[in-house]
Amino acid sequence: MKIHITLNEPAIEGYFQASPKNLLFDGDYSKLDKHCYVGQCDEIYAPAFLDYLEYEKIPDTIASWVSLLRVGGKLIIGGLDSYIVTKLYISRNIDQAKINDLFFGKEFLVKSLNCTQDIKDLLVSLNMSIYTIDLDVPESRFVIEAHKQ
């Protein structure tokens, strides 16, 4: 099974869509075990979702997602990188309007700021091996692909 976690992206064929657009999904992103057995998921795809989780809930939510993955399964997650945003702002490579657009110019409000290193460290602590880290500095975003060991 493959799961696509999103708020407003279009459905991807072959994936269960954990999204408000899916009437079968109840909106609890930390309880995906209602849709997939522990250790049976091939991939969880959420490359632009971390911003919309409450910061305090991120470690437990990601741990619950990792528990669903089979050995060798992939977790692809990402969001805004607060370190990149701050660095770009301090060096005057982005202005206040861009920051406001990044945080508040979306259909759904950002609930947390993360950084690539913190999420990487969390994944490693959950026995995940980091496969790739993609940084989009102009957009201040990151995506990490990790595989369950």
Side-chain angles (χ1 to χ4, degrees):
M1 174 175 213
K2 294 181 179 182
I3 299 173
H4 178 210
I5 301 172
T6 182
L7 290 174
N8 57 359
E9 295 170 334
I12 299 173
E13 189 174 333
Y15 287 73
F16 173 78
Q17 186 178 23
S19 165
K21 294 180 179 181
N22 183 348
L23 298 178
L24 298 175
F25 180 64
D26 65 4
D28 190 346
Y29 293 95
S30 66
K31 303 286 185 201
L32 293 177
D33 57 348
K34 296 175 188 175
H35 307 284
C36 179
Y37 293 116
V38 171
Q40 297 299 309
C41 192
D42 295 311
E43 181 178 307
I44 297 175
Y45 182 72
F49 190 75
L50 288 179
D51 310 335
Y52 305 110
L53 289 174
E54 293 174 27
Y55 184 77
E56 299 79 26
K57 294 182 180 180
I58 288 174
D60 290 340
T61 300
I62 290 177
S64 75
W65 296 350
V66 168
S67 74
L68 298 177
L69 293 171
R70 64 172 176 74
V71 173
K74 293 190 278 187
L75 176 62
I76 301 166
I77 58 174
L80 282 173
D81 188 310
S82 60
Y83 177 77
I84 295 173
V85 172
T86 303
K87 192 171 179 179
L88 289 172
Y89 182 68
I90 289 171
S91 65
R92 302 203 183 274
N93 288 313
I94 59 173
D95 60 15
Q96 196 66 41
K98 177 67 175 179
I99 288 177
N100 276 288
D101 182 55
L102 288 170
F103 295 151
F104 309 112
K106 310 287 186 266
E107 179 180 353
F108 301 94
L109 288 180
V110 170
K111 292 184 180 177
S112 65
L113 296 176
N114 301 283
C115 75
T116 306
Q117 188 63 47
D118 289 349
I119 299 300
K120 176 185 168 215
D121 291 346
L122 173 61
L123 291 169
V124 169
S125 76
L126 294 169
N127 201 31
M128 300 289 288
S129 61
I130 305 303
Y131 186 71
T132 61
I133 297 176
D134 293 322
L135 298 176
D136 181 348
V137 174
E139 292 301 317
S140 304
R141 303 199 66 76
F142 70 95
V143 175
I144 299 174
E145 179 179 331
H147 297 196
K148 188 170 185 179
Q149 298 180 24

